[in-house]
Amino acid sequence: MTDFLMTVNGDQVAAATTFGVINPATGEIFSQAPECSREQLDLAMESARRAQPNWAAEPAARRSALVACAAALKEEAPALAVTLSAEQGKPLKAAEYEIVEAARWLQASSELELKTTVVRDDQHSYAEVVHRPLGVVAAITPWNFPVLLVGWKVGPALLAGNTVVLKPSPYTPLTTLLIGSLLAKHLPPGVLNVVSGGDELGSWMTSHPDVAKISFTGSVATGKKVAANAVADLKRFTLELGGNDAAIILDDADPATVAKDMFWGAFINNGQICAGIKRIFVPRPLHDEFVAAFAARAGKVRVGPGDSEGVQVGPVQNKMQFDKVTELVADALANGATAVAGGLPSEGPGYFFPPTVLTGVKEGMRIVDEEQFGPAVPVMPYDDVEEVIDRANATKFGLSGSVWSPNIERAQEVAARLDCGTAFVNDHLALGPDLPFGGIKWSGYGVENGPWGLEEFMNIQVRYTARPKPAKIAAPPEEDK
Ligand code: NAD
């Protein structure tokens, strides 16, 4: 049995079987989540399909429902944060912040404009372009920001007039299940269904005939499978995948200042963030000073269980990711790298790994070429700007990148040459509901957020009306000539 239930057609439902959810700070199962059956998924899809036309018909009701959802989520943030911290590992404060941010995204979605554009209005015709919802959206989220991404996906999907079937990661299903039950109080039955289960459930969703659009955040490998299922039925899809973001420090920057300003761009959420800094490039003459300042900061981070007072960073979220980070760091060390901070996993229990800064690394090492998605960052020297731009772009990924310098114009010029979805100057990870977020190359397909993200949840329809043709001037009668 479990206290956590799915939301299907507005009802709270259990499943015939459950699966264990691990607290990454202990490595032990601390709760159970329902394992959605195929029949239950069909019911969720059917309820979403049935609810959609009425939901689409009432734009004002959609806006006010989203405002109510945002307020409810914000109010419950402190209570929900306890569950989020336990299942995800992040500190309580960070968990609460994530939930409040998700509420902010829901609120921002409620304020987006549903635009109609008049493209022709003359004596021959009137033509306008309107946006229409797609139908049922399958939303699939990962384990790093399980709640924030509910806001990113559910807000615009619902505002556009779609209904949603949402599936959290099996590593972090619990808070999303609670949110399903909370938001059901403010939404008509069927508008938002929340189901939980393993990866197979995701695959059933992406091949389900009732689904018109898939909104997916997760790994590149899974993204490719999602795309294949979507294409087989020509479903619309948006993919937010991984990244290997470069941060480039220019030679006029102050190393200690940049070390301070960019630190959390690399280590927030334990580095488990798609658009975090994953490779740092420093001009050779500034390398040692930067490394010393950056490593000193890493050494001071308070790592521990998310529910302990004063903790800044929790454990890595799951054993698979913990093993990957351990392996990539060990591989770098075996190939000549030096850990100037961290370097070894902490003694158990739990999946703790200290913030790690690696030098003596280069392209060709796994820690540089692959997405580490954890608390270990390689720092590499460079000799000239053309070289570093090439190196920053020499990756299959293209999510974001940043350039750091007091000379803003120069930094902007370099940033503009980065092949990625967002190019920052003197910041990294500055995301907002008004900024479209998405990656190029392997980092994604399509964008989320703002009016650009909203459009991805809609089709356009041209509404064309011919104007009456002017009556022909009759030829004058013969005798008048
Ligand atoms: P994952 O791809 O393993 O899982 C993501 C979700 O997909 C989970 O809910 C999972 O159950 C589901 N899933 C698994 N197999 C599926 C299938 N065949 N069909 C449909 N759904 C399936 O990713 P993860 O390990 O949970 O998340 C980490 C990855 O996500 C990292 O690579 C990270 O970079 C990426 N990420 C990207 C963004 C972004 O916005 N670009 C944000 C967060 C995480």
Side-chain angles (χ1 to χ4, degrees), residues 165-422:
V165 177
L166 166 67
K167 185 197 91 68
S169 164
Y171 290 114
T172 52
L174 304 178
T175 321
T176 308
L177 290 168
L178 294 178
I179 290 173
S181 126
L182 179 71
L183 301 194
K185 296 176 189 140
H186 304 281
L187 296 167
V191 165
L192 175 63
N193 302 271
V194 179
V195 292
S196 56
D199 294 347
E200 195 184 27
L201 176 62
S203 168
W204 295 342
M205 288 169 71
T206 57
S207 54
H208 201 284
D210 286 345
V211 169
K213 148 111 191 182
I214 303 159
S215 176
F216 173 82
T217 300
S219 63
V220 173
T222 308
K224 288 179 182 175
K225 291 184 200 160
V226 168
N229 273 358
V231 166
D233 189 35
L234 295 182
K235 298 183 194 306
R236 304 297 184 263
F237 62 99
T238 306
L239 307 175
E240 301 289 353
L241 308 175
N244 198 0
D245 288 13
I248 300 173
I249 302 168
L250 297 186
D251 58 8
D252 50 7
D254 172 48
T257 308
V258 178
K260 171 168 78 61
D261 292 348
M262 75 159 53
F263 185 78
W264 290 109
F267 287 105
I268 194 162
N269 208 43
N270 233 345
Q272 303 168 118
I273 183 158
C274 48
I277 294 173
K278 305 216 170 98
R279 295 174 292 155
I280 299 177
F281 293 98
V282 196
R284 200 173 296 277
L286 306 185
H287 177 267
D288 292 355
E289 195 183 339
F290 172 80
V291 165
F294 200 67
R297 289 191 171 269
K300 285 194 197 127
V301 172
R302 293 187 295 278
V303 182
D307 58 1
S308 293
E309 192 57 36
V311 155
Q312 292 171 291
V313 158
V316 173
Q317 201 281 324
N318 58 70
K319 177 81 166 60
M320 177 197 68
Q321 197 60 35
F322 175 77
D323 288 346
K324 178 160 189 202
V325 174
T326 306
E327 200 180 300
L328 292 191
V329 172
D331 176 77
L333 297 176
N335 283 293
T338 304
V340 285
L344 284 176
S346 311
E347 291 284 315
Y351 312 135
F352 292 98
F353 201 103
T356 294
V357 179
L358 295 167
T359 57
V361 279
K362 54 180 190 295
E363 287 83 356
M365 289 185 181
R366 294 185 60 196
I367 191 77
V368 178
D369 296 351
E370 296 179 27
E371 183 189 35
Q372 64 274 49
F373 212 65
V377 181
V379 183
M380 291 173 281
Y382 73 87
D383 294 303
D384 80 77
V385 171
E386 292 304 315
E387 166 214 328
V388 80
I389 293 171
D390 285 349
R391 289 171 69 189
N393 288 336
T395 165
K396 279 288 204 180
F397 293 102
L399 196 50
S400 55
S402 57
V403 180
W404 302 75
S405 164
N407 183 337
I408 302 295
E409 226 169 275
R410 186 170 166 234
Q412 284 172 335
E413 275 170 26
V414 176
R417 294 177 60 195
L418 296 178
D419 297 336
C420 54
T422 306

Side-chain angles (χ1 to χ4, degrees), residues 64-136:
S64 47
L66 279 174
V67 171
C69 287
L73 194 54
K74 193 169 175 190
E75 195 181 319
E76 286 302 310
L80 291 169
V82 177
T83 304
L84 180 57
S85 173
E87 64 176 340
Q88 206 285 334
K90 62 185 69 188
L92 265 174
K93 266 195 187 144
E96 188 173 336
Y97 178 72
E98 178 179 340
I99 298 161
V100 171
E101 280 289 275
R104 180 162 81 94
W105 248 267
L106 289 181
Q107 175 67 36
S109 297
S110 79
E111 294 163 15
L112 286 169
E113 197 185 337
L114 292 163
K115 256 201 248 153
T116 295
T117 312
V118 177
V119 290
R120 200 185 280 181
D121 187 6
D122 58 26
Q123 73 270 33
H124 303 296
S125 59
Y126 174 83
E128 60 182 20
V129 176
V130 299
H131 288 90
R132 305 176 83 209
L134 300 168
V136 177

Side-chain angles (χ1 to χ4, degrees), residues 130-146:
V130 299
H131 288 90
R132 305 176 83 209
L134 300 168
V136 177
V137 170
I140 300 177
T141 54
W143 44 259
N144 59 340
F145 285 94

